[in-house]
Amino acid sequence: SASLFCIYAFHMALFCICSGLVARFNPRKLVTQQLWLYLVGQTLMLAFRAAVLRENFAETGGLLAAWLLPWRHIWYLYALIFWHLTLPLLTRLRDKGLPFALLGLAGSCLGMALAVGLALAAGLVDWPFTLVRVFAFYPFYACGVLLRPQLDRLAAFAAEHRPVRLVAAAGLVLGAYFLWVLRADPIMDHSAELFHDVSYAGGDRVQYRVVFYLVGIVTTAALTVLASRRHLLAGLGRHTLAIYLLHLPVQALLVELGLYDLMRGKATIVVVLWSVLLAAVTLAVLNLSPVQRACDAVANCWYKRK
């Protein structure tokens, strides 16, 4: 559970910030790729819910609502559509700044303050249409857009200075340790609360969000420094679509096959090694060229890169 706690403390922050770092406003792409991919993902999950989970859609608002509103991990595609609509404003704040801007950061700082303020205030509202996560994770996406120049310069500096990378590595190790030590604290024991489909009434608190915004942004900056030398993350985004769309159905299939039950009662190290093996095999299968090409073809059938 300590590993789960530490991962939940930053992994979605990293994912959202990376999306912001590479975001470009393109209305055609927004409709013909992102909205399209969301509907495709929802269709796949609808079939999965009907065939495997045998869900009664009449009890959850009907078939149309089940298709339109995001289910489980598909919420991220849903959120990206909304976040991308704010790109023109965020990029204007970043590039144009404010009068008498200090080091070009004034506009970005204002944008971050607005994004965090919106997210904190949004937790007071019981949002319809599963919009809770759209607001909760927005500051991370905004951070990627607004602080891209600073993160680029930080990575370039770290690539030329090995001590900076060593400090970042040490900071990540110490940070993970202290997060693990502090997980008994009420604030630090809620690393997964932002993933709930309810606002503050579900256990999330303003102070929890503030802590994890800070943890997520600082951790991402440290990982940027650590991976700067060899461009370790370059091209990673081109290999994640199949994993993102299909990891949950694959996990459900493994459960149905009883592969997790084989480890019931075993020593912790055996359970960990078995889980890592299943994850590695899943990643290997989903990263096969035919799977990657099929997902790319589906995602880009209406939108073709020039």
Side-chain angles (χ1 to χ4, degrees):
S1 63
S3 298
L4 181 68
F5 165 80
C6 289
I7 290 171
Y8 267 71
F10 74 88
H11 82 289
M12 280 310 304
L14 177 63
F15 207 49
C16 297
I17 290 174
C18 286
S19 292
L21 286 172
V22 299
R24 301 289 188 277
F25 187 68
N26 184 332
R28 179 171 173 265
K29 181 177 181 179
L30 183 65
V31 174
T32 59
Q33 187 184 70
Q34 291 177 305
L35 179 59
W36 160 252
L37 190 57
Y38 171 71
L39 296 176
V40 169
Q42 282 289 95
T43 302
L44 290 174
M45 292 308 108
L46 192 67
F48 167 74
R49 293 162 68 182
V52 178
L53 302 183
R54 295 180 174 84
E55 186 174 330
N56 185 353
F57 298 113
E59 296 178 352
T60 56
L63 190 62
L64 182 61
W67 183 60
L68 292 177
L69 297 181
W71 182 77
R72 302 290 287 274
H73 61 302
I74 303 297
W75 74 266
Y76 195 74
L77 288 173
Y78 181 77
L80 274 177
I81 294 170
F82 288 95
W83 295 343
H84 276 11
L85 294 175
T86 70
L87 259 178
L89 174 61
L90 294 176
T91 53
R92 182 174 180 81
L93 285 171
R94 181 193 67 201
D95 298 335
K96 301 298 183 181
L98 295 173
F100 312 108
L102 178 63
L103 299 177
L105 275 174
S108 295
C109 289
L110 174 61
M112 280 303 304
L114 292 173
V116 172
L118 175 64
L120 295 179
L124 299 171
V125 179
D126 185 16
W127 292 97
F129 311 119
T130 64
L131 289 169
V132 173
R133 298 182 187 183
V134 175
F135 289 106
F137 289 94
Y138 180 64
F140 294 126
Y141 174 83
C143 176
V145 176
L146 293 166
L147 299 184
R148 187 178 72 197
Q150 287 72 33
L151 288 173
D152 284 345
R153 287 196 290 268
L154 178 62
F157 181 77
E160 301 299 327
H161 297 82
R162 187 168 180 266
V164 177
R165 302 194 299 276
L166 295 177
V167 169
L172 287 171
V173 172
L174 290 174
Y177 172 75
F178 282 113
L179 281 175
W180 180 79
V181 170
L182 293 173
R183 75 185 192 281
D185 184 281
I187 292 180
M188 302 305 295
D189 193 35
H190 286 75
S191 59
E193 293 295 346
L194 285 178
F195 291 79
H196 290 179
D197 287 324
V198 292
S199 297
Y200 297 142
D204 187 14
R205 298 288 184 272
V206 173
Q207 60 267 36
Y208 299 162
R209 290 195 179 189
V210 171
V211 168
F212 288 108
Y213 290 152
L214 291 173
V215 169
I217 292 171
V218 171
T219 301
T220 299
L223 289 170
T224 299
V225 169
L226 197 61
S228 62
R229 180 64 176 175
R230 298 184 183 277
H231 304 287
L232 298 177
L233 303 181
L236 183 62
R238 291 192 293 273
H239 297 273
T240 56
L241 181 58
I243 296 168
Y244 164 71
L245 286 176
L246 301 175
H247 74 279
L248 194 149
V250 169
Q251 183 190 37
L253 178 62
L254 295 176
V255 171
E256 289 292 322
L257 294 175
L259 295 182
Y260 288 103
D261 289 336
L262 295 175
M263 294 295 105
R264 198 175 298 277
K266 304 291 185 181
T268 301
I269 185 61
V270 176
V271 176
V272 170
L273 291 175
W274 181 246
S275 299
V276 170
L277 176 62
L278 292 179
V281 172
T282 299
L283 290 174
V285 171
L286 295 180
N287 198 43
L288 291 173
S289 293
V291 178
Q292 293 291 326
R293 287 197 299 269
C295 286
D296 185 63
V298 170
N300 291 287
C301 67
W302 299 111
Y303 174 81
K304 300 292 184 181
R305 293 184 180 180
K306 295 181 180 180

